[in-house]
Amino acid sequence: MKKLLCLVLVLCMTPLFALADTKDVLNTESELPIVTEPITLSIFGKQGAIHAEWSTMDFFQKYQEMTGITLEFNQVPSQGYDEAKALMWTNDTYDDMLVAPGLSGTEIIKYGDEGVLLPLEDLLKEYAPNYTALMEKYPDVEGRITAPDGHIYALAAIIAVNAARTQKIWCNTAWLEALNLQVPTTFDELEEVLRAFKTYDANGNGEADEIAIAASDLSAWISDFAGMYGLQYQFGQEMNLSEDGKTLTSWLTSDEFKALLQWSNKMYEEGLMDPDIFTQEYSKFNAKMSGQMMGIFFNQADDAFDSTNYIGIAPFAGNSDTIYVSSGPVARDMGTFAITCDCDYPEAAMRWIDYLFSEEGSYLMRYGIEGKTWTRDENGYPVYVDGILNNPNGSGPTIAQFCIWPGGGSPQYLNDRNCIAVCSPTTQAAQAALDPYMDFVLYAEPLFDTDVNERLLILDTDITTYMKSCAAKFIRGEMSFDEWDTYCSTLESMGLQEWVGIYQERLDTYQ
């Protein structure tokens, strides 16, 4: 019954809001404080494993003072959160705002349709100048957060710094120097370097047990090299966009993907690539990074290892006239913020979240209180005080005592002025080697309605499972490339064209 009432509220939203006079509490003279008289908003969200209690965080305490809005916290620890969220949806009442709730696309569509989540597009236009400006600057954001019915029910984080969205190619310069080699720039040069790395006893234990080249797992290996074969990840899938921007094609059956697998097979047969990519957990890969065991590997940042003897290098040329760098979308994290139908002050709630997408608001969100946990450099940009980034307990757990963003999934605005905790100068220098290969249109994974989502889940599961299984077998030599046509025809029979067609229909709506 409550969800039916929520739906009625949404359908009649404008008149009901007007009757409630909720705009009367808004401060129209300045951005902060948000309200002219105290109000209270409750929030539901996921408390990360490394987070302090939200009510004790400097960020939330300071922001309550700045806004005039008192917060009631209903954060749930990450262990058991999914169960708690599922139970939350069955309630008769909802907290006013969902903050870092980890909403899936299916949840956004379902509870938007049912009226539990308020449509935000009109609120955005009138009360969110910062988020709206970012949507205009990065047009793919709107496509990412807009539901098929045209409504926006939840906001995404805005990750506007390239270095936070790519896998860097890290090369061990100490090994290069010891072997009198140069940084490889082509695949031929890469192979020469890898063969030298394979036989180099870097740790002096009398065994050539170092790893020439590695990625965290098979999916990462494929995505890390795909762009060097001219392959993109449009809509987050193995699809290329035509030069005129109108047509999608899957590359899972392409000659380019076959060539990538053939080269990978060559690396495997020569013992140059890490064979653990087929089975290892990320923790094992992390140990290899921190143990300086690899000559060349892929990772987003240098926070997991001492990068003194590593530099970020450019993609390798020689297998495609056009090279792309695989990247996450600007609207990287979906479902980071929503307003429920039980919120009496939706305009204030929208202003509350919008300030965090301003420059100064992003500093508060990511750095805490100025003068306590951060100061400004000569350019006016924030820098953490000593004892945070170099804390022996780790920078993430340290920051998570006073800010909400560590652990991911928060409604944050990350740019090149506030990203030092996740993008060190070394990481940003590594990104500079990739930037020349990122100037192309990239569409983010969109929202689909429930029926399409269910069909996509079946297609994605069948296609991805079969592709990954065959890719592993091709690389390890367990399948001959004489069986390539069989692999392709099997994918077609699984609905490959239907899968592409679903995304093509969405692309058509962007034209």
Side-chain angles (χ1 to χ4, degrees):
M1 176 62 70
K2 178 57 186 289
K3 291 179 180 177
L4 178 59
L5 292 174
C6 283
L7 182 57
V8 172
L9 173 62
V10 170
L11 292 175
C12 306
M13 185 170 59
T14 302
L16 286 178
F17 285 175
L19 287 173
D21 290 330
T22 58
K23 298 178 186 178
D24 290 348
V25 301
L26 292 180
N27 182 355
T28 59
E29 298 301 320
S30 63
E31 192 169 82
L32 293 173
I34 292 173
V35 291
T36 56
E37 59 186 69
I39 65 170
T40 297
L41 294 175
S42 60
I43 60 176
F44 175 92
K46 181 179 180 179
Q47 179 185 3
I50 59 176
H51 284 179
E53 288 288 324
W54 286 6
S55 62
T56 69
M57 287 184 174
D58 287 351
F59 157 64
F60 280 121
Q61 291 185 348
K62 181 65 174 179
Y63 199 33
Q64 289 179 91
E65 296 175 10
M66 294 168 61
T67 59
I69 298 173
T70 299
L71 299 175
E72 291 182 351
F73 297 93
N74 184 18
Q75 81 274 4
V76 180
S78 55
Q79 186 173 3
Y81 176 75
D82 289 342
E83 293 81 359
K85 183 174 62 168
L87 183 62
M88 179 270 293
W89 294 124
T90 68
N91 289 343
D92 288 332
T93 58
Y94 305 95
D95 288 294
D96 298 307
M97 303 185 295
L98 307 183
V99 179
L103 300 182
S104 67
T106 299
E107 289 172 326
I108 292 170
I109 297 301
K110 175 177 173 60
Y111 296 106
D113 285 346
E114 292 184 2
V116 176
L117 304 180
L118 290 184
L120 304 179
E121 59 274 6
D122 291 337
L123 292 169
L124 282 166
K125 291 175 183 177
E126 190 166 356
Y127 302 104
N130 297 305
Y131 201 93
T132 299
L134 289 171
M135 289 171 63
E136 293 172 353
K137 183 175 182 180
Y138 305 105
D140 55 311
V141 172
E142 185 170 4
R144 172 82 156 146
I145 65 177
T146 302
D149 63 5
H151 290 306
I152 295 172
Y153 297 111
L155 302 185
I158 304 295
I159 310 300
V161 57
N162 286 345
R165 298 185 284 113
T166 61
Q167 295 289 90
K168 316 304 179 295
I169 311 172
W170 298 102
C171 183
N172 193 317
T173 55
W175 292 14
L176 289 177
E177 183 177 352
L179 295 165
N180 196 29
L181 295 169
Q182 300 298 313
V183 170
T185 60
T186 67
F187 272 87
D188 288 342
E189 293 172 359
L190 172 63
E191 291 180 21
E192 178 185 356
V193 167
L194 295 182
R195 292 184 184 106
F197 282 175
K198 180 179 182 292
T199 59
Y200 176 53
D201 183 15
N203 56 19
N205 66 354
E207 300 179 18
D209 53 359
E210 286 72 18
I211 299 165
I213 189 168
S216 59
D217 55 36
L218 178 59
S219 295
W221 177 272
I222 291 172
S223 64
D224 292 338
F225 279 105
M228 301 179 213
Y229 284 80
L231 305 175
Q232 306 170 355
Y233 278 85
Q234 294 294 343
F235 293 111
Q237 309 299 329
E238 296 88 349
M239 298 180 191
N240 269 31
L241 183 67
S242 61
E243 290 188 7
D244 63 7
K246 295 183 178 180
T247 306
L248 292 171
T249 55
S250 168
W251 49 257
L252 291 178
T253 58
S254 68
D255 291 341
E256 291 80 7
F257 184 44
K258 181 181 180 181
L260 189 163
L261 295 178
Q262 288 174 321
W263 180 80
S264 301
N265 168 252
K266 179 181 178 182
M267 297 300 97
Y268 181 85
E269 293 293 337
E270 292 190 34
L272 301 179
M273 67 182 288
D274 184 4
D276 287 345
I277 68 168
F278 303 105
T279 57
Q280 74 182 348
E281 298 292 331
Y282 186 81
S283 59
K284 185 174 182 180
F285 179 69
N286 194 74
K288 292 174 181 176
M289 285 191 289
S290 61
Q292 309 279 303
M293 297 174 62
M294 299 177 289
I296 295 177
F297 64 92
F298 299 82
N299 200 58
Q300 186 264 313
D302 68 333
D303 56 339
F305 63 99
D306 179 357
S307 59
T308 302
N309 293 324
Y310 285 90
I311 61 169
I313 63 177
F316 310 111
N319 284 320
S320 175
D321 292 336
T322 303
I323 295 175
Y324 304 102
V325 168
S326 298
S327 169
V330 172
R332 188 188 67 186
D333 302 324
M334 269 297 296
T336 64
F337 176 84
I339 302 173
T340 76
C341 60
D342 276 341
C343 182
D344 291 330
Y345 305 102
E347 298 91 352
M350 181 55 70
R351 281 197 176 176
W352 184 90
I353 192 62
D354 185 60
Y355 177 71
L356 302 181
F357 287 89
S358 69
E359 197 68 33
E360 291 297 317
S362 76
Y363 297 167
L364 174 67
M365 170 63 146
R366 298 191 60 78
Y367 291 79
I369 299 176
E370 185 175 4
K372 180 178 180 181
T373 50
W374 66 279
T375 59
R376 295 179 187 263
D377 65 15
E378 63 276 9
N379 297 312
Y381 299 150
V383 290
Y384 290 101
V385 300
D386 190 50
I388 294 180
L389 294 184
N390 57 353
N391 193 290
N393 295 322
S395 60
T398 302
I399 295 169
Q401 302 311 296
F402 55 85
C403 287
I404 191 178
W405 67 263
S410 63
Q412 59 176 314
Y413 171 39
L414 185 68
N415 59 47
D416 59 5
R417 297 171 295 283
N418 65 20
C419 67
I420 190 64
V422 293
C423 298
S424 69
T426 302
T427 294
Q428 294 187 58
Q431 176 61 40
L434 305 182
D435 283 337
Y437 308 94
M438 295 185 65
D439 187 20
F440 64 99
V441 174
L442 179 68
Y443 288 105
E445 179 78 10
L447 293 169
F448 294 103
D449 62 36
T450 302
D451 290 341
V452 174
N453 262 332
E454 291 176 353
R455 181 57 182 157
L456 270 179
L457 179 61
I458 295 172
L459 292 169
D460 282 340
T461 300
D462 290 347
I463 290 170
T464 301
T465 300
Y466 180 71
M467 179 276 289
K468 289 177 66 175
S469 174
C470 290
K473 291 176 181 177
F474 280 129
I475 292 172
R476 293 194 299 253
E478 297 165 8
M479 281 181 70
S480 166
F481 285 96
D482 291 339
E483 301 175 76
W484 182 257
D485 289 345
T486 300
Y487 156 80
C488 293
S489 62
T490 302
L491 279 180
E492 293 291 347
S493 69
M494 289 179 169
L496 185 66
Q497 297 311 313
E498 179 187 359
W499 178 65
V500 175
I502 291 173
Y503 289 97
Q504 181 66 53
E505 288 183 8
R506 176 52 61 88
L507 175 65
D508 292 343
T509 66
Y510 296 168
Q511 307 302 319

